[in-house]
Amino acid sequence: MLVIALAAAAPFGCARERSGPSRVVVVTIDTLRADHLGSYGNAHARTPVLDGLAREGVRFDAAFSPAPLTLPAHATLLTGLDPDRHGVRHNGVFTLA
């Protein structure tokens, strides 16, 4: 979920003025640890695309997930609602309206 916050928040966290339409890129990677990415200091990591996104956008030192499971966390990311509001509680057995 770390990279989700990085990619999704990048256009909103900058003070730079932009010309033309803004773009939001959402990249989701399940169970990725920050210490396995070059942009978070791992000199041996081979993650050039993710490192480039971090370099060109906004990189956060801390990101928090509303749920420890992928489906409820994604539902929150896409709706802005916490799991108790959107109703998705587990992977695989719930659907989001």
Side-chain angles (χ1 to χ4, degrees):
M1 298 306 293
L2 176 66
V3 177
I4 293 171
L6 170 113
F12 306 109
C14 296
R16 291 181 257 162
E17 291 195 24
R18 297 178 184 268
S19 61
S22 294
R23 293 190 172 94
V24 175
V25 176
V26 178
V27 177
T28 64
I29 302 173
D30 197 15
T31 64
L32 175 66
R33 290 175 31 173
D35 63 348
H36 287 224
L37 296 171
S39 60
Y40 282 85
N42 185 331
H44 303 293
R46 294 183 181 175
T47 54
V49 175
L50 294 175
D51 297 342
L53 283 171
R55 188 173 41 258
E56 297 296 321
V58 175
R59 186 186 64 81
F60 294 90
D61 291 327
F64 301 93
S65 178
L69 299 168
T70 304
L71 186 58
H74 279 104
T76 294
L77 174 72
L78 298 172
T79 65
L81 301 172
D82 285 329
D84 63 328
R85 299 284 311 279
H86 58 61
V88 177
R89 302 276 190 186
H90 301 288
N91 290 328
V93 295
F94 286 86
T95 58
L96 183 63

